Amino acid sequence: MCSPEHFAVEYAINPWMDVTAPVDPELAVKQWDRLRETLVGLGHEVHLLVPEAGLPDMVFAANGAFVVDGTVYGARFKHHQRAAEAAAHRAFYESQGWRFIAPNETNEGEGDFAYLPEAHGGLILAGHGFRTELPAHAEAQEALGRPVVSLRLVDPRFYHLDVALASIDDGNIVYYPGAFSAASQKVLAQLFPDAVLADDDDALAFGLNLVSDGANVVLNSEATRLAGRLKTAGYTPVPVELAELKKGGGSVKCCIAELRH
């Protein structure tokens, strides 16, 4: 995770960003702190990336890389405003001794990649259409040695896979069908017949931008209906308030890069 102490909406690179809407930096840090404390309280270890001035979106740490079994496939951002974030993430992973593979193709890390170790023997779901380019899916498959299923995103409000779909345990997902092309919806229905489906309200509340440890699902507090559906499915919803960071087009998952050893 990376503190939002430099967070601001200084440019608009997704439909949620409004440069005329003021951000309360103190409240952003307070809400982010609560998210971090929630994860620690659930028994997880949180490593911190040092935020850098001039990179207001660094708080969205999920976009900097994608990690599977100790191998890191680095990010290459689409927009020049975020490009320098990639080097900060690379430096973190290399300082920790992780195996790092630099990308040649445009991709935004866990923003557009999700990993399910027990689905069909280990499966990567990968989004394209707005940020990550399709050739990055093949590059990730070569880098990580896991089959990649390409899913086309068609609604600009859901510009990353992680605002439309999330893994809720090692073999199942929750997703919003309307974010995907008709063909991609068929693929998801075939691969995950027991998936939890979200509605428009859940998706627009950033409810799908969540993290789960297989039992506890940490999600945006506005997604009340989705929390109920997850509870019915046997998970424990853990709501958190992240209204300030939502102004940048992200929520829980965007703030968290998962370190899979």
Side-chain angles (χ1 to χ4, degrees):
M1 296 181 71
C2 182
S3 169
E5 61 187 76
H6 301 300
F7 175 66
V9 179
E10 297 174 354
Y11 45 77
I13 57 172
N14 68 57
W16 303 93
M17 299 176 91
D18 178 358
V19 294
T20 67
V23 169
D24 182 337
E26 280 186 31
L27 182 56
V29 170
K30 193 176 289 184
Q31 291 176 346
W32 177 88
D33 268 332
R34 201 165 297 134
L35 172 61
R36 183 182 55 80
E37 288 162 5
T38 298
L39 295 171
V40 171
L42 291 171
H44 303 293
E45 185 181 357
V46 177
H47 298 258
L48 297 177
L49 191 64
V50 178
E52 297 180 19
L55 295 174
D57 279 341
M58 261 188 87
V59 62
F60 300 128
N63 304 149
F66 176 55
V67 185
V68 173
D69 289 348
T71 297
V72 183
Y73 175 55
R76 185 174 183 175
F77 288 86
K78 177 174 181 175
H79 295 101
H80 69 87
Q81 293 96 330
R82 298 195 66 186
E85 293 177 39
H89 285 269
R90 180 174 187 164
F92 168 82
Y93 287 106
E94 290 184 335
S95 74
Q96 301 283 321
W98 294 69
R99 178 174 174 241
F100 187 92
I101 296 176
N104 293 311
E105 305 294 345
T106 299
N107 82 88
E108 300 201 346
E110 285 199 310
D112 275 320
F113 291 107
Y115 183 54
L116 292 110
E118 290 178 9
H120 309 277
L123 197 63
I124 294 170
L125 301 180
H128 69 100
F130 298 103
R131 297 290 185 85
T132 295
E133 301 288 342
L134 196 52
H137 295 186
E139 188 173 62
Q141 181 167 281
E142 287 299 307
L144 301 168
R146 296 288 184 281
V148 174
V149 175
S150 295
L151 302 167
R152 188 159 72 88
L153 297 162
V154 295
D155 186 330
R157 296 172 300 178
F158 307 106
Y159 59 93
H160 271 155
L161 183 72
D162 73 359
V163 291
L165 177 151
S167 62
I168 43 176
D169 58 38
D170 287 345
N172 202 11
I173 62 170
V174 55
Y175 70 100
Y176 171 57
F180 299 92
S181 68
S184 292
Q185 289 182 42
K186 285 182 182 175
V187 169
L188 286 168
Q190 185 176 329
L191 288 173
F192 301 99
D194 300 321
V196 176
L197 300 183
D199 63 20
D200 298 36
D201 290 343
D202 296 327
L204 293 171
F206 277 71
L208 291 154
N209 195 242
L210 59 81
V211 294
S212 173
D213 58 15
N216 305 289
V217 181
V218 183
L219 78 167
N220 194 298
S221 57
E222 292 177 45
T224 51
R225 197 176 313 174
L226 182 59
R229 289 178 182 179
L230 289 163
K231 191 170 186 177
T232 299
Y235 303 89
T236 302
V238 183
V240 291
E241 170 64 56
L242 280 178
E244 287 307 296
L245 294 176
K246 193 179 171 189
K247 294 174 181 176
S251 188
V252 175
K253 175 60 199 167
C254 286
C255 293
I256 299 164
E258 294 179 54
L259 306 178
R260 302 177 189 89
H261 286 286

